Amino acid sequence: MTTQATERRAPVPPFTRQTAIEKVRKAEDAWNSRDPAKVSLAYTTDSRWRNRSEFLQGRAEIVEFLTRKWQREHDYRLIKELWAFTDDRIAVRFAYEWHDAGGAWFAPTAMRTGCSTRTA
């Protein structure tokens, strides 16, 4: 039986500045692959997400959500930047852009901050 502890992906806590940056880059690369299954592996099996009014739990729901998202959001591109870190937490600033089927481009008007309290 696989446990969450054995599923953790390097680098793992405690973080240094270098390993925190590496973790952020790996997450950025996974998201930019636009492969929902690959992205879901960066999160724990019991992850809980909120995206606006939608609440997700677990990797299967993450894969379903990202599949729907990237069917609408063409050429999705994410940029993540390390904002802050401690021994066991990483906060990132991120920006993304995409276009719809009609070719209209969308991007957030400001950088956003997210915080990872559990690292997979």
Side-chain angles (χ1 to χ4, degrees):
M1 182 169 118
T2 304
T3 65
Q4 286 182 11
T6 61
E7 290 181 0
R8 293 169 51 157
R9 297 170 99 60
V12 297
F15 294 114
T16 64
R17 179 171 176 71
Q18 186 60 38
T19 60
I21 290 170
E22 181 182 346
K23 187 86 168 180
V24 170
R25 287 291 161 251
K26 286 183 175 187
E28 181 184 72
D29 290 347
W31 276 81
N32 285 327
S33 75
R34 294 187 297 275
D35 179 342
K38 182 177 182 178
V39 172
S40 74
L41 293 175
Y43 299 92
T44 59
T45 56
D46 63 346
S47 286
R48 292 176 183 230
W49 283 19
R50 177 184 163 269
N51 185 277
R52 296 180 181 90
S53 64
E54 191 169 356
F55 296 86
L56 312 170
Q57 183 170 357
R59 287 186 182 148
E61 289 185 14
I62 291 170
V63 169
E64 290 172 16
F65 170 78
L66 292 175
T67 299
R68 288 191 320 271
K69 175 182 179 67
W70 290 328
Q71 286 172 346
R72 294 184 315 272
E73 299 179 5
H74 303 277
D75 295 325
Y76 179 94
R77 173 77 175 126
L78 172 72
I79 299 170
K80 282 189 174 221
E81 178 182 38
L82 180 64
W83 180 261
F85 73 96
T86 63
D87 285 348
D88 64 349
R89 293 183 183 207
I90 296 174
V92 298
R93 291 191 324 164
F94 62 95
Y96 59 94
E97 64 183 13
W98 55 277
H99 68 85
D100 65 14
W105 281 91
F106 299 88
T109 57
M111 299 296 266
R112 299 181 184 195
T113 304
C115 183
S116 171
T117 57
R118 297 179 69 187
T119 56

